Amino acid sequence: MDRDDRDDPFGDLFEEIERMMNQMANANGEHADDAGFGTETHVDTYVEDDAVRLVADLPGVSKDDLSLQCDGETLTISAASDRREYDERIDLPVRVDERSASATFNNGILEVTFDRADDSASIDVA
């Protein structure tokens, strides 16, 4: 028996590792260039006594490419980078005063703060 005719004892192991790496790089039918990006933007929401604060991770986006819209119930984050487009609608946990919004963007981290809207308005009866 020639040495070259024997099976490589590590052949199956290396083939399995390569298969798993290809599967991770092409997860959910995405291209390898998109590896590392999830299907949704990661957003944390914090409800405080008188405010609502959202923190979103937007890697690779510049401040100039960022657009925010709010109707008091939903925040829409739109942005584009060379690697990905973001277009996320986040339902806010409570109604907010959209005119009170303030936002900061630093190193791919967006932070938006709103004042909570009054739950109801009192009505004077004449």
Side-chain angles (χ1 to χ4, degrees):
M1 172 188 264
D2 257 348
R3 181 157 173 80
D4 293 334
D5 292 342
R6 294 186 305 191
D7 288 333
D8 182 2
F10 298 105
D12 291 338
L13 176 66
F14 291 130
E15 288 173 13
E16 181 64 16
I17 290 171
E18 185 175 357
R19 184 194 63 77
M20 289 189 311
M21 295 297 288
N22 288 335
Q23 184 178 8
M24 286 189 304
N26 295 316
N28 298 324
E30 297 174 358
H31 300 291
D33 290 343
D34 295 333
F37 287 98
T39 57
E40 295 183 14
T41 305
H42 180 84
V43 179
D44 289 320
T45 304
Y46 304 94
V47 179
E48 300 164 359
D49 291 338
D50 56 352
V52 175
R53 187 168 51 98
L54 290 95
V55 179
D57 296 330
L58 303 170
V61 172
S62 72
K63 181 179 173 181
D64 296 335
D65 296 331
L66 192 58
S67 172
L68 304 174
Q69 296 286 327
C70 183
D71 64 3
E73 296 176 351
T74 303
L75 173 66
T76 302
I77 302 171
S78 300
S81 72
D82 293 340
R83 298 188 68 190
R84 177 165 179 205
E85 289 185 16
Y86 299 90
D87 192 25
E88 299 294 329
R89 294 176 50 93
I90 298 103
D91 292 327
L92 301 172
V94 296
R95 186 153 179 76
V96 299
D97 177 7
E98 63 271 15
R99 290 173 187 81
S100 70
S102 65
T104 61
F105 187 70
N106 190 18
N107 292 329
I109 305 295
L110 171 68
E111 185 170 337
V112 184
T113 304
F114 298 98
D115 291 338
R116 289 179 69 159
D118 292 331
D119 290 335
S120 63
S122 61
I123 301 171
D124 292 330
V125 178

